[in-house]
Amino acid sequence: MSTRQRVRPGGRSARVQASVHTAVRELLEEKGREALTVPLVAQRAGVTPSTIYRRWGTLQELLSDVAVERLRPDTAPEDHGDLRSDLTAWAEQFLDEMTSASGRAYIRDALLGDPDGDNAGQCSAYAAEQINVILARADDRGEHGPDVETVMDRIVAPMMYRILFRPAGLDAAYARRLVTELFGGRGKGGQGPGG
């Protein structure tokens, strides 16, 4: 298990996490990443540096923890009335957020301070949860679509690979193309692969 601890809602532990996370975000905006140190974060958060070292281990692991929290979606995906439209809108928004300067920094931090892979798994789970919402809505409308893993493999995985290793040319058209390919190049509608 990582030196980072998952936090229960409420209590002193949650308050410490919230104040440290806020301090990190504020200091990153004010001073930039190069100036960030554990003592500086501790001073801003009103805790001792040893509290941060005990809980997170290193500055990089703290930055990773903050990044994972920042990558958590704030809202459920919008409902556009059919599966393909929902997936297209979600993929465009996901790509836009992940390719922004802050999105790339969060991805980098999430992965760099993640020696055991927990943060990468959590980020993947966030995307899967959003896709589950979209697929459940489609199912409620009687639309037959792919399963979550297929969407992850055909839309999320290629986008993340490109964001990390081949970022040139990433735009909404790329996200739309991935969704079109998922549906076999067919026109609008909820019939997914095999449907």
Side-chain angles (χ1 to χ4, degrees):
M1 186 169 151
S2 167
T3 57
R4 290 178 318 282
Q5 301 168 9
R6 296 290 175 208
V7 177
R8 296 187 319 262
R12 181 180 185 284
S13 184
R15 286 191 303 275
V16 167
Q17 180 179 11
S19 66
V20 170
H21 278 216
T22 298
V24 168
R25 289 190 305 271
E26 290 172 355
L27 289 166
L28 284 171
E29 273 189 38
E30 293 169 19
K31 300 183 181 288
R33 135 181 254 88
E34 298 76 30
L36 204 63
T37 65
V38 169
L40 189 61
V41 171
Q43 180 182 17
R44 174 68 62 97
V47 300
T48 64
S50 63
T51 298
I52 293 175
Y53 288 122
R54 248 190 334 272
R55 182 164 186 156
W56 285 280
T58 66
L59 178 61
Q60 189 57 59
E61 288 185 76
L62 170 58
L63 291 173
S64 184
D65 193 46
V66 171
V68 170
E69 190 60 33
R70 298 302 292 169
L71 290 169
R72 177 191 305 266
D74 294 342
T75 60
E78 290 184 29
D79 187 345
H80 295 273
D82 66 79
L83 177 57
R84 184 167 175 168
S85 297
D86 288 354
L87 280 176
T88 300
W90 181 84
E92 289 175 357
Q93 180 180 354
F94 180 83
L95 186 63
D96 184 56
E97 290 172 1
M98 295 299 117
T99 57
S100 69
S102 61
R104 287 178 197 264
Y106 291 139
I107 292 168
R108 182 182 59 243
D109 285 340
L111 298 177
L112 285 175
D114 188 25
D116 55 13
D118 287 348
N119 290 345
Q122 186 59 55
C123 292
S124 177
Y126 293 156
E129 289 166 9
Q130 294 267 297
I131 292 164
N132 265 322
V133 169
I134 292 169
L135 296 177
R137 281 185 195 146
D139 192 49
D140 289 346
R141 291 188 296 253
E143 296 176 271
H144 303 288
D147 62 23
V148 173
E149 289 306 312
T150 300
V151 176
M152 293 292 285
D153 288 347
R154 304 272 304 275
I155 296 176
V156 179
M159 284 196 290
M160 289 307 298
Y161 178 85
R162 289 287 307 270
I163 290 165
L164 291 169
F165 301 112
R166 299 189 63 204
L170 289 178
D171 57 15
Y174 176 72
R176 287 191 298 272
R177 189 177 87 227
L178 291 174
V179 174
T180 298
E181 290 170 359
L182 175 69
F183 287 93
R186 288 182 281 223
K188 193 172 182 175
Q191 294 300 311

